[in-house]
Amino acid sequence: MDDFFADLNEKQREAAMAPDGPLLIVAGAGSGKTKTLTARLIFLITKRRVPPERILAITFTNKAADEMKRRVADALARAGMAGADPFVSTFHAFGAWVLRREAGMFGRTNGFTIFDADDVARVIKHILKNRGIDPKKMSSAQTGRLFGKIKNEFLSFGAPLGTSDDALTWELFSDYERYLEINNGFDFDDLIYKVVLAWHQDPAVAARYQSRFSHVLIDEYQDTNPAQHALCALVARTHGNITAVGDDAQAIYGFRFSDFRNFLNFEKTWSGARIILLEQNYRSTQNIVAAASGVIARNQFQKKKTLWTGNNEGAPVRVVEHADEFDQAEYIVETALLRARAGARVGILYRTNAQSRALEQMLLEKNIPYALFGALTFYERKEVKDILAALRVAANPNDQISGERLDKTFPKKITRPLREALAACTPDTAPADLIKLFLKSTQYMDVLKKEFPNYADRYENITELIYFAEQFSSLSEFLEKVTLASPLDGAPRKTQEEKSAAHIHLMTIHLAKGLEFDDVQVAGVSEGLMPHQRSLLRADDLEEERRLMYVAMTRARQTLSLHFYQIPSRFLYELPPERVVFEGDAARTVPGRTRDLDDEERYIEYD
């Protein structure tokens, strides 16, 4: 076990073995954040002898939680402590676990349904229609965004929302909350909001969880929103043994109501907090680290750190100009193919999903295999949602939204006996058996074959769902797992294997956070795309765009290329010139000539 800690560098070891009390680990990109947080968890169990069940470790994604569980289990097995399991969970899975125990406080049973984004949109449309509100004047998307603001920012009822009619919005919110209660449901945001609300309303309830967990560890703390911040503060209030790890330079989720000031103000929230900086980057070359550091240094609001690496200097960062997005796509695809053929894992990153169109078109034309992240996820596919609707009705007969989906998909002669069969199932009925009951009762495979040319692919998806369901004996546990799945979790088996085997990966920069690639090609580093035009009016938004640029650059291990057309991004001017080589469009057509970023000709349009 001591070998495990010997593998840490000095600062990682200091963080892992820090004394009790509030601790903030400021972990620069590629500095071994997960390794350090895992080491601290293992240290608490093996050296401090903290009972594993009294440790709560919270992450943002299932992938991160599963990775931490695996590392901890391996380390504890080597220490002769196999089976000692700390509570490692995502924020929302932890919230669901609490609400299964406290659902009665909100008029629900512990068999409640967790409504996903599609369900919420349908509920809001019902509410707007019942109120006679023109959807053109107040859309379900706008209303849902306001409800998300209320819950994620933990706003008091009646607080200003900045709309033209706040009073009406709060009335709609009340309608929405009543609808959820009638349907024995919570939405995704409730898994944090309602927990914090319960703990505020009844300190005795909060005390049960405060006494259960003596140590709390939080991953990616810079991404917490006010409600998540409140949850962390409440559960660790009595003992103050909270360890938060993250990097304010990678705070890029403001659009999800995340507030990186929670990270910057950690010492104000927790007096006497210890701060430890992890500044050694193990991922990237010197040129990549220096180039990314040069960009992020321009931000005013941050915890200053000096990122460095012992890796080799590597190739300069390439800045490549193109005539248009199609020229850019062709060049990126050809370059990515060369890298992939050489054995490199390539990440093609972009600011918005719309930018993938030209890239995908070029990959398809050249018949190059690739993996696309952020498209329709496995659990959003029609055949999967139809099956899950039936399972949700079996688990929660009050779920009108899922019932309506069944009614719209099948005629009454099918839904009536299906509902009767579902109602006859016991709580012990296995999820896989319920899926087979649904398929048989509805003759669903025949329905798919009649309606869809790609029915064979849909058959495969159903087979995958059954395979995954067979790993669960509890219906509520299965439904919770699939509802809380993130875009990066992918399908239960097949899609993940296909994506892992691919050499070229396409995704937005937001989805790339936490990942790394041998070669990174960043598309569209143009003014108006990155930074996005919507961010140009507020200094805070512009700083978040710069953090987004930093995240994109620090995904690269060996080589990094930044591509633009039309007006170059202001961030390209912030790159240290000694770390960059510029390859202008003119340099590829006129030998010996290279335009710099300030060339006035690029701002002139010719007829």
Side-chain angles (χ1 to χ4, degrees):
M1 178 51 62
D2 288 335
D3 291 342
F4 182 88
F5 298 106
D7 193 39
L8 304 174
N9 68 32
E10 181 181 350
K11 283 295 182 180
Q12 290 172 337
R13 195 176 302 112
E14 180 185 352
M17 299 182 174
D20 280 354
L23 169 66
L24 179 67
I25 305 171
V26 182
S31 64
K33 169 181 67 68
T34 303
K35 179 181 182 179
T36 304
L37 188 62
T38 304
R40 177 147 184 80
L41 200 162
I42 294 168
F43 172 78
L44 291 173
I45 297 172
T46 61
K47 303 298 182 181
R48 289 283 177 78
R49 298 298 175 181
V50 177
E53 67 275 10
R54 300 206 65 202
I55 300 175
L56 172 64
I58 300 182
T59 71
F60 272 86
T61 67
N62 292 313
K63 181 181 177 183
D66 291 343
E67 176 64 15
M68 186 178 294
K69 288 176 185 176
R70 184 188 65 77
R71 293 190 188 191
V72 170
D74 289 347
L76 293 181
R78 292 198 302 271
M81 299 178 67
D85 296 324
F87 196 117
V88 181
S89 166
T90 65
F91 266 105
H92 291 93
F94 174 70
W97 177 79
V98 173
L99 287 179
R100 294 288 176 201
R101 288 151 181 77
E102 313 298 343
M105 292 183 66
F106 300 100
R108 276 78 154 179
T109 71
N110 61 8
F112 61 77
T113 296
I114 301 172
F115 283 14
D116 63 21
D118 285 346
D119 300 326
V120 167
R122 290 164 68 185
V123 171
I124 292 174
K125 285 177 182 176
H126 275 298
I127 292 167
L128 295 176
K129 184 178 180 180
N130 290 341
R131 287 260 182 177
I133 296 174
D134 186 349
K136 293 180 180 178
K137 293 182 179 179
M138 194 171 191
S139 71
S140 60
Q142 291 171 324
T143 307
R145 174 78 178 170
L146 287 169
F147 293 173
K149 177 183 176 71
I150 289 169
K151 294 187 176 185
N152 286 290
E153 295 186 358
F154 201 67
L155 300 180
S156 300
F157 191 88
L161 299 172
T163 70
S164 58
D165 193 340
D166 282 359
L168 175 60
T169 302
W170 281 108
E171 288 178 15
L172 292 171
F173 181 73
S174 296
D175 292 349
Y176 174 71
E177 289 294 283
R178 279 194 294 273
Y179 195 102
L180 289 180
E181 183 176 351
I182 291 169
N183 282 265
N184 193 32
F186 291 111
D187 65 23
F188 199 66
D189 294 332
D190 278 334
L191 302 182
I192 308 298
Y193 173 72
K194 289 293 197 302
V195 171
V196 177
L197 197 61
W199 290 354
H200 271 293
Q201 290 177 349
D202 192 339
V205 173
R208 287 204 296 272
Y209 298 93
Q210 290 164 345
S211 62
R212 165 155 184 167
F213 299 110
S214 65
H215 290 75
V216 179
L217 290 74
I218 313 294
D219 193 14
E220 302 286 10
Y221 198 70
Q222 77 282 348
D223 292 332
T224 56
N225 60 41
Q228 290 165 331
H229 175 65
L231 185 149
C232 297
L234 282 168
V235 75
R237 171 180 287 176
T238 57
H239 49 71
N241 294 325
I242 181 170
T243 297
V245 63
D247 182 9
D248 52 292
Q250 298 185 65
I252 58 173
Y253 293 111
F255 67 95
R256 292 185 189 168
F257 307 103
S258 296
D259 188 347
F260 80 122
R261 290 173 298 183
N262 296 335
F263 188 90
L264 296 182
N265 297 331
F266 187 83
E267 305 98 303
K268 295 180 181 178
T269 304
W270 302 95
S271 60
R274 184 184 301 266
I275 313 295
I276 297 175
L277 304 181
L278 303 185
E279 298 174 298
Q280 183 176 0
N281 177 290
Y282 290 93
R283 175 185 300 150
S284 308
T285 65
Q286 293 174 23
N287 277 324
I288 293 171
V289 169
S293 297
V295 172
I296 200 63
R298 301 297 185 101
N299 270 5
Q300 178 182 354
F301 299 104
Q302 61 176 303
K303 285 189 178 294
K304 293 291 184 182
K305 64 186 82 69
T306 304
L307 205 63
W308 64 278
T309 183
N311 295 336
N312 60 42
E313 184 178 34
V317 174
R318 298 167 65 240
V319 177
V320 188
E321 180 186 11
H322 304 277
D324 53 40
E325 67 172 323
F326 301 105
D327 180 55
Q328 173 187 254
E330 184 173 20
Y331 187 89
I332 288 176
V333 167
E334 289 176 352
T335 303
L337 181 58
L338 289 174
R339 299 280 196 273
R341 282 175 174 168
R345 186 167 179 264
V346 181
I348 301 177
L349 312 182
Y350 36 83
R351 174 66 178 80
T352 66
N353 279 309
Q355 291 173 260
S356 72
R357 182 186 61 82
L359 293 161
E360 282 195 84
Q361 180 178 325
M362 192 60 60
L363 286 161
L364 291 170
E365 286 179 4
K366 295 180 180 292
N367 198 29
I368 299 171
Y370 65 95
L372 176 66
F373 290 77
L376 191 67
T377 68
F378 181 83
Y379 296 111
E380 291 174 330
R381 294 166 182 167
K382 171 184 165 48
E383 61 277 11
V384 175
K385 289 186 73 70
D386 285 347
I387 293 171
L388 293 179
L391 269 60
R392 286 168 58 168
V393 168
N396 176 19
N398 291 339
D399 185 349
Q400 296 177 36
I401 293 297
S402 296
E404 286 176 6
R405 183 179 185 95
L406 295 177
D407 292 339
K408 289 180 179 179
T409 303
F410 304 104
K412 286 184 179 179
K413 65 180 181 180
I414 290 179
T415 55
R416 188 176 295 112
L418 172 62
R419 284 175 177 269
E420 291 173 357
L422 293 173
C425 294
T426 68
D428 296 330
T429 305
D433 291 339
L434 278 171
I435 294 175
K436 293 169 185 174
L437 183 152
F438 167 85
L439 296 175
K440 183 178 180 181
S441 300
T442 61
Q443 297 297 304
Y444 194 61
M445 296 302 206
D446 292 338
V447 173
L448 292 177
K449 189 171 184 178
K450 289 177 183 177
E451 293 187 10
F452 300 102
N454 65 337
Y455 65 89
D457 292 337
R458 295 174 187 267
Y459 286 3
E460 286 188 20
N461 291 334
I462 292 172
T463 301
E464 291 301 319
L465 186 65
I466 294 172
Y467 160 79
F468 188 55
E470 285 172 343
Q471 301 175 44
F472 297 83
S473 58
S474 164
L475 177 58
S476 62
E477 185 182 346
F478 170 70
L479 290 174
E480 186 173 301
K481 186 73 172 178
V482 300
T483 304
L484 300 183
S486 77
L488 282 178
D489 293 329
R493 177 178 55 174
K494 178 169 65 71
T495 301
Q496 281 297 82
E497 290 176 354
E498 290 173 348
K499 287 182 175 180
S500 297
H503 283 284
I504 298 176
H505 305 256
L506 273 68
M507 66 189 73
T508 65
I509 301 168
H510 285 98
L511 281 180
K513 185 169 175 289
L515 304 179
E516 61 180 50
F517 304 92
D518 300 317
D519 176 77
V520 168
Q521 307 282 329
V522 186
V525 190
S526 304
E527 198 71 7
L529 278 176
M530 193 160 65
H532 197 278
Q533 59 186 4
R534 291 195 302 265
S535 70
L536 301 180
L537 299 179
R538 296 180 67 247
D540 286 354
D541 291 342
L542 190 58
E543 290 213 348
E544 179 157 324
E545 290 291 301
R546 187 176 283 109
R547 293 194 293 269
L548 195 63
M549 177 75 169
Y550 176 80
V551 167
M553 296 176 71
T554 54
R555 300 310 93 199
R557 295 181 64 248
Q558 299 166 2
T559 50
L560 169 65
S561 300
L562 308 173
H563 301 267
F564 77 94
Y565 55 91
Q566 296 178 349
I567 301 175
S569 166
R570 67 189 67 193
F571 301 147
L572 296 177
Y573 294 86
E574 299 169 0
L575 295 166
E578 69 276 11
R579 302 290 185 174
V580 176
V581 58
F582 177 73
E583 300 179 17
D585 184 61
R588 298 204 300 277
T589 57
V590 183
R593 180 186 175 202
T594 300
R595 299 191 308 186
D596 64 28
L597 293 175
D598 290 315
D599 192 326
E600 293 181 358
E601 286 188 20
R602 73 174 70 257
Y603 298 93
I604 301 174
E605 294 184 2
Y606 298 95
D607 294 330

